[in-house]
Structure formats: structure tokens, C-alpha cells
């Protein structure tokens, strides 16, 4: 998978001397049509890689904003089949932007692992981040996914020590996702200096790009985190922008897509200036 969309995009960003902006939204939030419009608008707004959340009713890593987004999607009838339909629809107009599905194992297990991987590959999915599948369960989905040409991205956290890290990295591909805080998404801000040290430590164990997420909300934070990482992941603030654009009945408005694209453009400006001080 050396020439995958993910590896090509990280190489492109590195050639431009900047980290990648990775944006997270939940599939089907706030409804199918608005979610697809947001998905299609993300690359032009500045997203380099899209993490597409698979809504699940019992998450373990998601904070209140993303939990609420998942419930909006599920109440709107979002299913795994519809999520893959959205990826297929996106691919009709964009053959280059990587899409990484992020979520939990239960919906995939219910779908059927082999059937899911075949459908995901056909739809245009490039990678998976399955939060609740540890390396000890790689035979379940990780290794089959790689056999289908789909990257399996593993999370490393502040509590992943040097003894555990090689186990985490063993079958990881595409990139490493460093969780910058202990806790759930969107509830604390990362310490840029500590993140820099953690990224350097991970890079001593792997040649894969290291992207940093959890707690990054603003363009300034994206700039700070991007100084020392290969990618910056932003989710909760984008999801909050969607929630803030809805009407009293929770339906999308004419402001929903622009609210997202304005924020993503600001974040893109942050990551694109991340290395300016180093280069000066």
C-alpha cells in the first residue's frame, strides 16, 4: 500500500513543508443530504484527509459533542450501508482525498467483517480507525483489512509506554494517530510541548507519519500542534459548528455547510503556517 491515497497525501503535504489537516465529521449528521454536502465541501475548504465517523450509540472515546452528533445521525436513519453510500457518492467527484472511517467494532461485526471490507474498498475507503480493537485482536479486522488494501490506523496515547508502543505499531499502516490528552474527545486542550516530545518518541519507533488529535479546536492550536507533527486532527469543534447552525427543530439550515467550511478554512490556515517560524 505504498502508493495509497493516504501515503500520497502525506508525501504531498511534506513536500509543501506543512502538516496535513485531518477533519472529522460524523456520517449522517445532521441528516444524510446535509452530511453529504459537508463531506463534498471539505477538500475545497482545506481538508487534506477526511475522518468519517461511523455513528454508534455506545462510544467509549467520544466527548459530548461527537456523542450528540452520532445520535443526530442515528435518529436520522444513518446506517453502515448509508455511510458507505455516502463514500461512494463522494468518490464520484473526488478520487484523491483520502477517507478514513473511524468508529467502533460492533457495527462492523454486525455487518460481517469480510462483507464490510469488500464494500468499504469498493466504496473508496482508504483506512480504518477502530477505537476498541486492541492489537491482540488483529486477526479480527486489522490483518484482513490490510489484505483488502485498506490501512488500519492505530491509536497511541500518553499512557502508551515504550514497552507497549512496538505492539501498537506492529500492524499499523498509513499513519499513527497520537491521542494528545488522556480522556475523551473535545474535553481538554493539548500541551504543545508535551505533544512534541511524544511525537518525537513515537518517531523513534516508526517511519510512519504521526497525526495528533483530541482537543485541537482552533487555528492557533492547529498551528502549534502542527509544528512537530505530520498531521493535525480536528473533530469536536467542526461537529459543534454543525450543531450551532441547526434550527430549533435540529434541522440543517442554509448556514450549516458554510459554518463548517469557514472553520475548516481557518484551521487550514493554521496548519499551513505551522512551520513558518521554523523556516524563518
Amino acid at each position: 500500500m505504498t502508493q495509497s491515497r493516504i501515503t500520497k497525501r502525506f508525501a504531498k503535504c511534506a513536500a509543501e513543508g506543512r502538516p496535513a489537516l485531518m477533519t472529522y465529521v460524523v456520517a449522517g449528521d445532521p441528516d444524510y443530504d446535509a452530511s453529504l454536502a459537508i463531506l463534498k465541501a471539505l477538500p475545497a475548504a482545506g481538508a487534506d484527509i477526511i475522518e468519517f465517523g461511523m455513528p454508534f450509540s455506545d462510544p467509549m472515546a467520544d466527548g459530548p459533542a461527537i456523542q450528540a452528533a452520532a445520535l443526530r445521525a442515528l435518529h436520522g436513519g444513518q446506517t453502515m450501508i448509508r455511510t458507505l453510500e455516502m463514500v461512494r457518492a463522494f468518490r464520484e467527484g473526488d478520487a484523491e482525498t483520502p477517507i478514513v472511517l473511524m468508529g467502533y467494532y460492533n457495527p462492523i461485526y454486525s455487518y460481517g467483517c469480510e462483507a464490510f471490507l469488500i464494500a468499504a474498498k469498493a466504496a473508496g475507503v482508504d483506512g480504518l480507525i477502530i477505537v476498541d480493537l486492541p492489537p491482540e485482536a488483529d486477526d479480527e479486522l486489522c490483518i484482513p483489512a490490510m489484505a483488502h488494501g485498506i490501512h488500519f490506523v492505530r491509536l497511541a496515547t500518553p499512557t502508551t509506554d515504550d514497552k507497549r508502543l512496538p505492539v501498537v505499531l506492529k500492524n499499523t499502516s498509513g499513519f499513527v494517530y497520537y491521542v494528545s490528552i488522556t480522556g475523551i474527545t473535545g474535553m481538554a486542550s493539548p500541551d504543545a510541548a508535551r505533544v512534541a516530545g511524544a511525537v518525537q518518541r513515537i518517531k523513534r519507533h516508526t517511519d510512519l507519519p504521526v497525526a495528533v488529535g483530541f482537543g485541537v479546536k482552533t487555528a492557533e492550536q492547529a498551528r502549534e500542534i502542527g509544528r512537530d507533527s505530520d498531521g493535525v486532527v480536528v473533530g469536536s469543534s467542526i461537529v459543534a459548528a454543525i450543531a450551532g447552525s441547526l434550527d430549533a427543530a435540529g434541522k440543517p439550515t442554509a448556514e450549516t455547510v458554510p459554518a463548517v467550511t469557514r472553520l475548516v478554512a481557518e484551521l487550514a490556515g493554521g496548519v499551513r503556517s505551522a512551520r513558518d517560524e521554523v523556516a524563518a
Side-chain angles (χ1 to χ4, degrees):
M1 290 188 281
T2 56
Q3 294 299 316
S4 72
R5 275 187 283 258
I6 291 176
T7 54
K8 286 180 180 177
R9 185 53 56 97
F10 273 111
K12 177 177 181 291
C13 292
E16 294 173 359
R18 65 176 179 85
L21 175 62
M22 306 170 69
T23 57
Y24 173 95
V25 293
V26 176
D29 175 39
D31 63 23
Y32 185 95
D33 291 338
S35 181
L36 181 56
I38 291 168
L39 184 64
K40 291 181 176 179
L42 286 172
D48 295 298
I49 297 172
I50 298 170
E51 291 186 6
F52 207 31
M54 298 177 286
F56 183 49
S57 59
D58 189 24
M60 59 184 287
D62 298 328
I66 293 178
Q67 288 182 32
L71 290 178
R72 286 194 296 270
L74 291 170
H75 290 159
Q78 189 69 14
T79 63
M80 185 68 78
I81 291 173
R82 286 164 68 86
T83 296
L84 295 177
E85 286 177 356
M86 296 176 77
V87 177
R88 277 195 297 273
F90 175 84
R91 282 279 170 254
E92 291 174 359
D94 189 319
E96 297 183 356
T97 305
I99 291 186
V100 178
L101 295 183
M102 184 171 186
Y104 301 88
Y105 185 43
N106 186 289
I108 295 173
Y109 181 81
S110 298
Y111 193 106
C113 289
E114 183 66 13
F116 167 78
L117 291 171
I118 292 171
K121 184 65 177 178
V125 170
D126 301 292
L128 298 174
I129 302 174
I130 308 302
V131 176
D132 53 352
L133 263 184
E136 287 75 9
D138 274 357
D139 289 342
E140 289 274 338
L141 186 65
C142 171
I143 292 173
M146 292 194 293
H148 281 274
I150 297 174
H151 288 290
F152 200 89
V153 178
R154 191 78 72 190
L155 302 176
T157 74
T159 60
T160 306
D161 59 22
D162 283 335
K163 181 178 179 181
R164 178 66 174 170
L165 192 55
V167 179
V168 170
L169 297 175
K170 181 180 178 183
N171 289 317
T172 297
S173 67
F175 62 94
V176 181
Y177 188 133
Y178 179 66
V179 176
S180 63
I181 59 172
T182 53
I184 56 179
T185 60
M187 298 303 289
S189 296
D191 181 306
R194 290 184 179 179
V195 168
V199 170
Q200 291 168 9
R201 182 172 68 88
I202 293 171
K203 283 182 168 293
R204 289 197 289 271
H205 291 265
T206 180
D207 293 329
L208 291 171
V210 179
V212 177
F214 280 48
V216 182
K217 297 179 180 178
T218 67
E220 176 58 21
Q221 288 175 321
R223 186 184 68 81
E224 291 180 346
I225 297 299
R227 280 199 297 254
D228 299 287
S229 65
D230 302 299
V232 180
V233 188
V234 182
S236 293
S237 62
I238 297 173
V239 169
I242 295 173
S245 74
L246 306 180
D247 66 18
K251 302 297 183 184
T253 66
E255 180 60 15
T256 297
V257 175
V260 172
T261 55
R262 280 197 302 272
L263 176 57
V264 171
E266 292 174 7
L267 295 165
V271 298
R272 281 165 173 73
S273 64
R275 310 278 170 77
D276 288 353
E277 295 175 9
V278 177

